[in-house]
Amino acid sequence: MAEAATLPTTRDEDWRYSDGEYLAASNPDVINHWRTIEVPAGETRSEHSMHGSGEASDGMVDRLRVHVGKGGRFEAFKTIAAGRYARVEIEVTLEEGAHFEFGGVTLGGGDKVQEFVTCTKHSHPNATSNQVVRAVQWGQSTGNFLGRIEVARDAQKTDAAQNFRAILLEKGATANTKPELEIFADDVLCAHGAAIGQLDEQASYYMAARGIPPEIARKLLIQAFVGDAFEAIEDEATRERMLERTLSELDQATV
Amino acid sequence: MLKITNLHANVGDTQILKGLSLEVNAGEIHAIMGPNGAGKSTLSYVLGGRPGYEVTEGSVEFMGQDLLDLEPHERAATGLFLGFQYPVEIPGVSNVQFLREALNAQRASRGEEALSGGEFLKLAREKAALLKLDMEMLKRQVNVGFSGGEKKRSEMVQMGILDPKFAVLDETDSGLDIDALRVVGDGINAIMRAPAKGVLLITHYQRLLDYVKPDKVHVLAKGRIVTSGGPELAMQLESEGYEAVVA
């Protein structure tokens, strides 16, 4: 019960890039609430969600705790375009041979703070996970990805991958990433990569030289960029819809 | 068609073009040759409007318009094609998507209707066949993982599909083996050798000129055209070197 009474602050490592003011003014019961999903052994569950710029103009925190049974699969594909503070947190525990697939996109301007926080617990052998997060920020906005991977002592043959890339469209936009790998087994593969940059100017110019106006060039490049996060969506129609809804948020961009 | 008058251009604080003048009429193919550092690539980028290349003096008139007044994509829409020495890779964007967007953007600016997916593929198939290229290449991401030769062939397919009025080809022959050189040469002839079209071919070597016969050859050195002549000038450069001819 002590947990329910306290609020996290930016001094907490997992909340270091969050919006302290928003947290301080929040209801602890809401902030500390976890949804739960149980994926039975051998089965698949998925969640696709779009937190659009139209919703929760003050902020939102969505925390999800998932347990994936032996050989099961949990997949989550999410876009955060909401603000001012929007956080989607997923904690996944993987039984033997289970898989966690995650694709996330943060996209926003103004002074929005948008973040994905994941904790992937490889507690048994042969489990796999793959996470791809893309951030597109403009204005004074911030996009964050905090990804912890915990590999237990006997979780041999774990294969965990995590990749984060951010594009900052304007000076003043920020991206933060913090991969955290805690590995106690010795026969594992854990890959992580992170890069923060700008829209590829050479590619933009190449497109212009072929007659593509700057606004279309930007859209094509961003589409290709965020597309990585949804590549693992098997159903093509779902994948396209996710991408389209995400890109429609770009029209809010002021740059 | 293209009239360059007393062109001066800087890259950063360095002056690269120092009073370059040149005129290419419809139906003509001109070659520009010159030693490293003469300003050949700068010329092509200035014509293409690449950011970072600043024109400080002079003018460029293209089909009666002030070319320097147009944005890069507007230059393309008026019919100017810039062949890149190093074609750029664009991960996540397929050639088909890239070229269809480009063609339809150009058509829109000319007040023409957009091509549907089917119409576009038909056109792409025609041009690929003309250049003896595999359609599969068009489904791949723009230049990603292409060899040097493939990139240059892909530039030719782009040129075929966009069907420009004028092409500035910057060392399109560099990095090509003999077979690819022939494909590129044939491509230039097939697409651009026409009474209403023009080409400015920028090259180091005479090799490509065996396949694409230029009407005129210019030697660019130290930022200006130092001498001009017929195809025989290219032969002379090849045998005597730039220094002897430029001096």
Side-chain angles (χ1 to χ4, degrees), chain A residues 23-243:
Chain A
L23 290 178
S26 299
N27 178 347
D29 293 339
V30 173
I31 298 293
N32 292 319
H33 175 71
W34 288 83
R35 294 188 293 127
T36 55
I37 291 180
E38 174 68 39
V39 182
E43 294 193 17
T44 296
R45 293 285 181 275
S46 39
E47 241 192 44
H48 301 83
S49 60
M50 169 87 203
H51 301 284
S53 54
E55 79 177 60
S57 56
D58 276 347
M60 55 143 298
V61 172
D62 179 39
R63 309 178 83 182
L64 174 63
R65 197 168 270 149
V66 185
H67 178 259
V68 189
K70 214 169 175 178
R73 179 182 172 95
F74 179 68
E75 44 188 46
F77 297 98
K78 292 168 181 285
T79 294
I80 301 177
R84 136 194 115 183
Y85 175 60
R87 173 187 179 104
V88 170
E89 184 168 351
I90 305 177
E91 185 192 290
V92 182
T93 303
L94 300 170
E95 297 287 335
E96 181 161 5
H99 181 76
F100 172 46
E101 183 74 40
F102 178 60
V105 175
T106 66
L107 184 128
D111 56 359
K112 288 177 181 177
V113 175
Q114 307 170 319
E115 61 185 2
F116 287 111
V117 179
T118 64
C119 177
T120 310
K121 299 182 173 186
H122 285 262
S123 46
H124 295 86
N126 298 309
T128 52
S129 61
N130 186 44
Q131 304 177 59
V132 179
V133 176
R134 297 289 178 262
V136 181
Q137 311 297 146
W138 62 94
Q140 305 285 314
S141 74
T142 302
N144 304 322
F145 175 45
L146 282 73
R148 188 189 303 150
I149 295 174
E150 298 174 5
V151 182
R153 193 173 300 278
D154 62 348
Q156 303 297 356
K157 305 286 180 191
T158 286
D159 188 345
Q162 198 180 74
N163 186 282
F164 174 77
R165 280 168 60 202
I167 285 181
L168 306 179
L169 296 178
E170 278 182 302
K171 230 181 198 159
T174 304
N176 299 296
T177 181
K178 193 161 94 71
E180 259 184 290
L181 281 66
E182 286 181 12
I183 305 172
F184 293 103
D186 49 22
D187 186 11
V188 302
L189 280 172
C190 280
H192 74 90
I196 297 172
Q198 290 162 308
L199 220 49
D200 184 345
E201 276 177 25
Q202 284 201 51
S204 303
Y205 176 65
Y206 193 57
M207 288 185 164
R210 296 294 173 259
I212 301 178
E215 63 279 9
I216 297 179
R218 192 184 67 174
K219 194 160 184 178
L220 281 174
L221 290 173
I222 292 176
Q223 183 177 336
F225 178 75
V226 303
D228 292 350
F230 302 136
E231 213 176 76
I233 301 178
E234 269 172 43
D235 179 55
E236 200 182 321
T238 309
R239 187 170 62 233
E240 302 258 302
R241 197 166 55 241
M242 220 29 221
L243 192 55

Side-chain angles (χ1 to χ4, degrees), chain B residues 181-214:
Chain B
L181 189 68
R182 184 189 298 272
V183 170
V184 165
D186 290 347
I188 297 170
N189 287 326
I191 302 160
M192 298 305 297
R193 181 60 94 177
K197 293 187 169 190
V199 177
L200 197 56
L201 206 58
I202 296 172
T203 179
H204 263 303
Y205 306 105
Q206 202 264 331
R207 277 194 327 175
L208 182 62
L209 305 182
D210 290 339
Y211 298 100
V212 184
K213 290 272 172 276

